[in-house]
């Protein structure tokens, strides 16, 4: 059974009195263990699509169904709970909380969700893989862009969620770290987590089990 | 960890992370709380003052020498020591007028602020046989006899270290200290006419002569009257004036209403200042929270992405607002207490109206009101500033926050 399903998903925006479709009638499903990569030009609707999948943006029409439940019929509290426990979203840009250390940032979703924190071993295992163990007690303001990005990825993967959605996660990373992150995503997918990655880096497409292309709001299968 | 603890901890971390802005917010709350506490305490002190003055006046009418009305008012209102005299016949004449229920006279003179005296105060001799003004008030606190050379001191008079007071070289034991009246009488010393006679002799020996002590019985400073309810006070005044000219009448009600007018002006100034400062405090907090939260748009978007509900985000910012409002409120209260209590006398002298500090319970209440109001300001301004952000589409909040 698909963990996430998008049915005839449409998102329209109004720009200077004209309506345009950022996401145009997309049907999409992802199952546990899938590693889907989405490529496409800037402005093709990729980020809007990801925001629709995570319930951060409401669709104009269509539905997103997660674990058999339509987000349309789910309240904010419940959608927030799903984002906290089942879906980890890595947005574009920096998304660490400036008042917290890297360690606290990684563990923050457990704090707000009232969940049992992962063990120190798990924290160190993920931190080691991403090369941020020495930075755990630093504040985001003391980190470089690449270090912040890796800390954000650590926050997403630490509890092996049902779905990871990453919007250009390796944009600010060098190629060595880019491949390291892709390996982490592939490993976590092999353990049953569904992974969706939006990327412009064609050299990483080989890690995916499926590659899709977004073009003017429409999604089509490439591989 | 409970939601409250977690929100509180996160709020404190955010406050500490932005010390300058947090300081400005706390300062705005301090101004609000300080203004509210000091304003309420001042207003209560003024109202207590006039209330107690009304209670303590006792007489309906005060007769003074024609040229001494201002001096008499000064004695009552500010405690500025004065002396003036008129013929004792005024007292006799006034007591005989129809409609006068009680009449008693008082004799005013002063001590000096030199080595011979404890301090410069108003000395008031009264007649215990006819007195109806000071007596009931003395009875509340003083039990020993005042006719044997001892004196009663007003609440603001401080005796020497041996517990006595010294006038013109002689020390007098203190039979008791009166409760606060919020009038100039708090700075006065009361005695019988026998004791007065001895002090006048001592003063004469030192070269200070108010009147010849040998005929001090022929003079009085003021005659205090209580007029029956059905009597026309203006007619009584007219009748007394016809029998004893060269006098002036001070009606207690008029005196109090004059004070009330002055007090009303002071209260208006306090009200306007208080309102301006409270509005300033609230608007500053709203402005700062709006700016801070606007700059933290991205942070709110991240919180949404991590699974924080809109309601929870409001709760986070509410915690910051409450913490800042309460902290500023408490600091403002402490500063208010450090202003109102140590500078009590300075304020009283500056305002030049009856002034009586409120009770401890009232002070606690005003303090609580101050802290509650600024906490409310903090929570309301943070809540209003967050409301639009918490419900905005996360994608746009994230993009515009970058």
């Amino acid at each position: 059974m698909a963990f996430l399903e998008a049915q005839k998903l449409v998102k329209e925006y109004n720009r200077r009195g004209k309506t345009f479709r950022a996401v145009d009638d997309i049907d999409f499903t992802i199952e546990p263990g899938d590693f889907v990569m989405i490529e496409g030009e800037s402005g093709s609707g990729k980020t809007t699509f990801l925001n629709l999948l995570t319930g951060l943006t409401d669709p104009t029409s269509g539905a997103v169904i997660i674990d058999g439940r339509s987000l349309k019929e789910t309240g904010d509290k419940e959608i927030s709970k799903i984002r906290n426990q089942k879906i980890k979203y890595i947005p574009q840009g920096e998304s660490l909380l400036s008042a917290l250390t890297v360690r606290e940032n990684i563990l923050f979703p457990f704090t707000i969700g009232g969940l049992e924190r992962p063990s120190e071993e798990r924290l160190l295992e993920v931190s080691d893989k991403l090369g941020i163990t020495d930075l755990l007690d630093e504040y985001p303001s003391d980190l470089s862009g690449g270090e912040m990005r890796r800390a954000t990825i650590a926050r997403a993967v630490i509890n092996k969620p049902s779905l990871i959605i990453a919007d250009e996660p390796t944009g600010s990373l060098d190629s060595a770290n880019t491949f390291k992150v892709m390996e982490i995503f592939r490993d976590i997918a092999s353990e049953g987590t569904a992974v969706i990655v939006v990327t412009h880096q064609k050299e990483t497409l080989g890690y995916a089990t499926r590659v899709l292309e977004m073009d003017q709001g429409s999604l089509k299968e490439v591989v | 960890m409970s939601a409250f603890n977690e929100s509180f901890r996160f709020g404190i971390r955010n406050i500490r992370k932005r010390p300058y802005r947090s300081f400005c917010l706390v300062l705005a709350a301090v101004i609000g709380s300080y203004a509210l506490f000091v304003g309420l305490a001042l207003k209560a002190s003024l109202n207590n003052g006039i209330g107690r003055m009304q209670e303590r006046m006792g007489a309906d009418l005060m007769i003074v020498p024609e040229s001494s009305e201002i001096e008499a008012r000064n004695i009552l209102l500010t405690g500025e020591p004065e002396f003036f005299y008129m013929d004792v016949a005024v007292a006799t004449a006034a007591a005989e007028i129809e409609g006068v229920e009680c009449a008693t006279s008082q004799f005013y003179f002063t001590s000096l602020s030199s080595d011979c005296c404890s301090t410069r105060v108003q000395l008031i001799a009264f007649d215990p046989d006819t007195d109806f003004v000071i007596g009931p008030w003395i009875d509340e606190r003083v039990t020993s006899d005042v006719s044997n050379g001892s004196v009663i001191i007003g609440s603001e008079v401080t005796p020497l270290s041996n517990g006595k007071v010294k006038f013109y070289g002689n020390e007098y034991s203190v039979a008791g200290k009166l409760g606060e009246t919020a009038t100039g009488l708090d700075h006065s010393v009361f005695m019988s006419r026998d004791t007065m006679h001895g002090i006048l002799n001592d003063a004469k020996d030192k070269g200070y002569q108010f009147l010849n002590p040998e005929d001090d019985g022929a003079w009085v400073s003021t005659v205090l009257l209580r007029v029956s309810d059905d009597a026309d006070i203006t007619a009584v005044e007219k009748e007394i004036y016809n029998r004893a000219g060269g006098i002036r009448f001070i009606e207690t009600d008029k005196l109090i209403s004059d004070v009330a007018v002055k007090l009303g002006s002071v209260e208006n100034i306090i009200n306007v200042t208080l309102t301006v400062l409270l509005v300033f405090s609230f608007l500053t907090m709203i402005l700062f929270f709006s700016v801070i939260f606007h700059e933290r748009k991205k942070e709110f978007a991240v919180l949404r992405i991590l699974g924080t509900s809109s309601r929870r985000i409001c709760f986070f910012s509410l915690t910051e607002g409450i913490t800042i409002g309460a902290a500023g409120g408490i600091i403002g209260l402490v500063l208010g207490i450090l202003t109102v209590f140590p500078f009590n006398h300075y304020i009283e002298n500056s305002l030049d109206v009856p002034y009586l500090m409120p009770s401890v319970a009232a002070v606690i209440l005003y303090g609580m009101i101050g802290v509650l109001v600024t906490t409310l300001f903090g929570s309301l301004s943070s809540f209003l500033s967050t409301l639009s952000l918490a419900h905005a589409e996360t994608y746009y909040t994230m993009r515009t926050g970058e």
Side-chain angles (χ1 to χ4, degrees):
Chain A
M1 180 191 162
F3 172 73
L4 181 145
E5 191 179 350
Q7 296 173 343
K8 301 205 171 299
L9 210 53
V10 172
K11 181 65 180 178
E12 289 176 347
Y13 286 113
N14 226 312
R15 202 178 268 172
R16 290 176 196 158
K18 278 188 174 178
T19 302
F20 80 98
R21 284 194 170 189
V23 171
D24 190 6
D25 203 22
I26 291 179
D27 287 310
F28 171 80
T29 56
I30 187 164
E31 294 186 12
D34 278 354
F35 186 176
V36 177
M37 282 210 187
I38 302 174
E39 56 171 346
E41 287 177 4
S42 296
S44 58
K46 303 184 294 294
T47 301
T48 305
F49 177 58
L50 298 188
N51 280 299
L52 288 168
L53 296 186
T54 50
L56 291 167
T57 303
D58 294 327
T60 307
S61 64
V64 175
I65 295 159
I66 295 176
D67 242 358
R69 288 182 68 184
S70 170
L71 292 187
K72 212 187 285 181
E73 288 145 21
T74 311
D76 178 57
K77 196 177 171 185
E78 205 53 39
I79 295 176
S80 299
K81 198 173 169 185
I82 291 169
R83 272 200 300 270
N84 179 253
Q85 296 177 6
K86 294 187 174 175
I87 301 175
K88 294 296 167 187
Y89 184 31
I90 302 167
Q92 278 182 45
E94 310 313 335
S95 63
L96 294 179
L97 297 167
S98 61
L100 305 181
T101 62
V102 170
R103 179 193 299 273
E104 289 165 334
N105 262 289
I106 294 172
L107 298 176
F108 194 69
F110 300 92
T111 309
I112 54 171
L115 307 170
E116 194 184 333
R117 291 181 171 200
S119 65
E120 186 68 10
E121 287 76 24
R122 174 67 183 153
L123 175 66
L124 292 175
E125 182 195 342
V126 172
S127 307
D128 277 343
K129 273 188 189 171
L130 288 160
I132 55 167
T133 309
D134 293 340
L135 306 173
L136 287 176
D137 295 319
E138 301 292 335
Y139 281 92
S141 53
D142 300 323
L143 307 185
S144 69
E147 287 167 340
M148 277 196 264
R149 204 78 191 126
R150 282 179 279 151
T152 310
I153 292 164
R155 183 174 65 193
V157 301
I158 192 163
N159 73 332
K160 297 178 183 169
S162 305
L163 173 63
I164 291 175
I165 296 178
D167 194 355
E168 296 183 34
T170 55
S172 54
L173 300 182
D174 54 45
S175 57
N177 275 311
T178 297
F179 290 124
K180 208 184 280 179
V181 168
M182 288 303 162
E183 279 163 21
I184 290 171
F185 284 151
R186 187 182 57 196
D187 292 347
I188 207 164
S190 69
E191 289 169 23
T193 297
V195 178
I196 302 172
V197 173
V198 162
T199 184
H200 289 296
Q201 294 163 295
K202 292 210 180 285
E203 66 274 22
T204 61
L205 295 177
Y207 286 92
T209 53
R210 279 162 66 200
V211 178
L212 306 173
E213 189 185 356
M214 192 91 174
D215 183 26
Q216 292 186 341
S218 299
L219 203 58
K220 63 179 181 193
E221 203 94 17
V222 176
V223 182
Chain B
M1 196 188 291
S2 73
F4 177 78
N5 283 344
E6 165 220 317
S7 301
F8 182 72
R9 198 164 157 265
F10 188 60
I12 294 290
R13 295 292 292 270
N14 274 314
I15 290 167
R16 284 173 56 189
K17 195 71 188 165
R18 297 167 176 84
Y20 173 70
R21 286 165 201 184
S22 302
F23 171 78
C24 291
L25 275 165
V26 170
L27 189 65
V30 166
I31 290 169
S33 165
Y34 179 83
L36 202 54
F37 176 76
V38 173
L40 289 175
L42 281 180
K43 284 174 68 169
S45 300
L46 295 172
N47 287 318
N48 281 353
I50 197 162
R52 185 64 66 88
M53 184 184 176
Q54 219 157 359
E55 259 173 47
R56 293 301 187 196
M57 277 303 184
D60 298 318
L61 206 55
M62 190 176 177
I63 308 172
V64 296
E66 196 167 32
S67 57
S68 305
E69 187 183 347
I70 293 170
E71 286 85 348
R73 281 174 176 264
N74 284 346
I75 290 173
L76 289 174
L77 298 178
T78 65
E80 179 62 34
E82 303 280 0
F83 56 91
F84 44 82
Y85 306 105
M86 59 189 178
D87 199 310
V88 73
V90 176
T92 317
E96 289 168 355
I97 305 295
E98 198 182 332
V100 172
E101 272 183 359
C102 314
T104 188
S105 57
Q106 291 181 349
F107 189 98
Y108 298 158
F109 60 123
T110 72
S111 60
L112 301 173
S113 52
S114 64
D115 291 347
C116 70
C117 301
S118 303
T119 179
R120 186 163 185 263
V121 290
Q122 182 69 54
L123 302 176
I124 300 176
F126 65 99
D127 181 357
D129 294 336
T130 58
D131 175 68
F132 63 93
V133 179
I134 300 166
W137 171 31
I138 287 176
D139 290 345
E140 285 177 15
R141 298 254 184 129
V142 183
T143 50
S144 57
D145 187 8
V146 288
S147 60
N148 61 355
S150 58
V151 297
I152 294 162
I153 59 175
S155 64
E156 298 294 332
V157 178
T158 311
L160 299 169
S161 54
N162 62 2
K164 295 184 173 185
V165 283
K166 190 176 168 188
F167 300 121
Y168 300 101
N170 269 331
E171 289 186 351
Y172 297 85
S173 55
V174 175
K177 189 171 190 170
L178 298 175
E180 271 186 291
T181 64
T183 67
L185 300 180
D186 289 339
H187 302 271
S188 306
V189 173
F190 302 87
M191 65 199 69
S192 66
R193 294 203 54 121
D194 289 342
T195 308
M196 171 199 81
H197 190 73
I199 296 175
L200 286 178
N201 272 320
D202 293 337
K204 189 183 175 189
D205 293 346
K206 299 266 175 203
Y208 301 101
Q209 186 162 337
F210 295 93
L211 281 170
N212 184 358
E214 298 312 315
D215 68 353
D216 59 33
W219 304 97
V220 292
S221 298
T222 179
V223 178
L224 300 157
L225 304 176
R226 183 180 290 156
V227 180
S228 59
D229 291 343
D230 54 352
D232 176 358
I233 201 160
T234 313
V236 169
E237 284 175 19
K238 200 174 171 186
E239 187 62 30
I240 296 170
Y241 195 82
N242 288 337
R243 293 195 191 187
I247 54 173
R248 179 82 71 181
F249 298 94
I250 299 173
E251 289 176 26
T252 308
D253 285 348
K254 179 81 171 33
L255 179 72
I256 289 169
S257 78
D258 288 349
V259 171
V261 168
K262 191 172 181 185
L263 190 138
S265 314
V266 176
E267 256 194 305
N268 284 341
I269 292 169
I270 293 172
N271 285 339
V272 170
T273 312
L274 182 60
T275 308
V276 167
L277 289 177
L278 282 178
V279 170
F280 169 79
S281 168
F282 185 51
L283 290 182
T284 306
M285 288 177 93
I286 283 198
L287 183 74
F288 265 87
F289 269 120
S290 299
V291 170
I292 289 173
F293 288 159
H294 188 78
E295 286 182 6
R296 284 167 61 190
K297 268 181 176 179
K298 192 174 168 185
E299 180 185 315
F300 290 120
V302 171
L303 286 172
R304 292 284 287 145
I305 285 166
L306 295 178
T308 312
S309 62
S310 301
R311 206 171 147 184
R312 195 82 170 275
I313 287 175
C314 289
F315 192 53
F316 278 144
S317 47
L318 205 58
T319 308
E320 284 182 44
I322 288 172
T323 308
I324 280 172
I330 291 165
I331 295 169
L333 169 63
V334 171
L335 291 177
I337 287 170
L338 289 176
T339 306
V340 168
F341 288 98
F343 295 101
N344 188 15
H345 293 297
Y346 177 76
I347 296 167
E348 182 179 356
N349 292 335
S350 305
L351 295 176
D352 203 19
V353 285
Y355 185 90
L356 188 63
M357 282 296 289
S359 65
V360 175
V363 168
I364 291 171
L365 178 71
Y366 302 147
M368 283 169 65
I369 290 173
V371 175
L372 277 176
V373 166
T374 50
T375 306
L376 191 70
F377 280 4
S379 47
L380 205 60
S381 49
S382 63
F383 182 75
L384 292 174
S385 306
T386 321
L387 214 52
S388 58
L389 292 177
H391 291 95
E393 276 201 358
T394 306
Y395 172 54
Y396 286 98
T397 316
M398 188 91 187
R399 281 184 66 177
T400 52
E402 277 175 357

